[in-house]
Amino acid sequence: MRELMRSLPPGNRLIQGLDPEDRDALLGIATPVEFALGHVFNEPDDLVEQLHFIDSGFCSSVAVLEDGRTVETVMIGREGVLGTVASVVPHHAHTRSVAQIGGTARRVDAGRFRALSAQRPGVRDAVGAYVAQLQGELEQSAACNALHHAGQRFAKWLLRCHDRVEGDTLNLTQEYLASMLGSQRTTVNEAAQGLQKAGAIAYSRGRITVLDRSALERAACECYRRGGD
């Protein structure tokens, strides 16, 4: 399924999967936007006023602890939409939403989206199915973070990044990777070196190149295969 995701035409898969009339109605209230690496869409407790249907690049929802530490909870690329917490009722963000790789999106006012989805069950059901997928991912991640070692989780996370970008190179610093995984920089470095020795990746100065995707998949925990992306 994930190889199919990489081979599909550019654009948001959720929007592409809508019936033509629903797709046109949604695009009629959407504004094309660009976002840069590190762009913050929402901070915790912000009112979520917009949904972003990702066309390229990808973003993360990141839990922020009182001591400043962060850890990624979910990743959102062109398979879905950022801001689903406000797709049914007005709501405040639980996490920080931040771009990991710059890209483009279709921005929709949350209130206008709720009005549209009330009129068009196809739009409502498509986003509802995506919300259910995210819930399953969160539940799987709880087990993953508790039971799988850093090397497995690191391989899983790289695969999920690779699924959402064009090409095989990811520009990600040690600090950023550690933040996403909730690990120390030394732990990330050890995991990366292990994957490099296995021939799965090349790793240097914040740049990771996937050399052997099959080897990376073998190194990842079962949660990658069960993620449902």
Side-chain angles (χ1 to χ4, degrees), residues 1-82:
M1 182 181 298
R2 295 167 177 80
E3 288 295 343
L4 174 62
M5 179 175 167
R6 286 176 57 79
S7 66
L8 286 173
N12 184 270
R13 287 177 60 201
L14 195 154
I15 291 178
Q16 292 171 346
L18 295 172
D19 290 339
E21 290 186 0
D22 288 336
R23 182 168 59 247
D24 290 345
L26 180 56
L27 292 175
I29 62 170
T31 301
V33 296
E34 296 182 1
F35 55 87
L37 168 67
H39 176 75
V40 176
F41 295 86
N42 289 107
E43 291 284 3
D45 298 322
D46 284 352
L47 180 66
V48 180
E49 298 180 300
Q50 299 163 336
L51 280 68
H52 289 81
F53 291 80
I54 307 300
D55 286 323
S56 64
F58 64 88
C59 311
S60 288
S61 290
V62 180
V64 183
L65 303 184
E66 290 183 354
D67 62 5
R69 289 181 297 169
T70 60
V71 64
E72 182 190 77
T73 57
V74 294
M75 184 184 294
I76 302 98
R78 65 189 186 98
E79 79 287 350
V81 54
L82 186 68

Side-chain angles (χ1 to χ4, degrees), residues 175-190:
E175 292 87 350
Y176 192 73
L177 291 168
S179 174
M180 290 301 97
L181 293 171
S183 303
Q184 299 295 322
R185 287 179 58 189
T186 52
T187 303
V188 171
N189 190 51
E190 290 172 1

Side-chain angles (χ1 to χ4, degrees), residues 127-149:
V127 173
Y130 177 66
V131 171
Q133 174 188 312
L134 287 182
Q135 180 62 33
E137 183 180 318
L138 285 168
E139 292 170 358
Q140 188 69 29
S141 292
C144 183
N145 292 335
L147 300 175
H148 293 148
H149 63 70

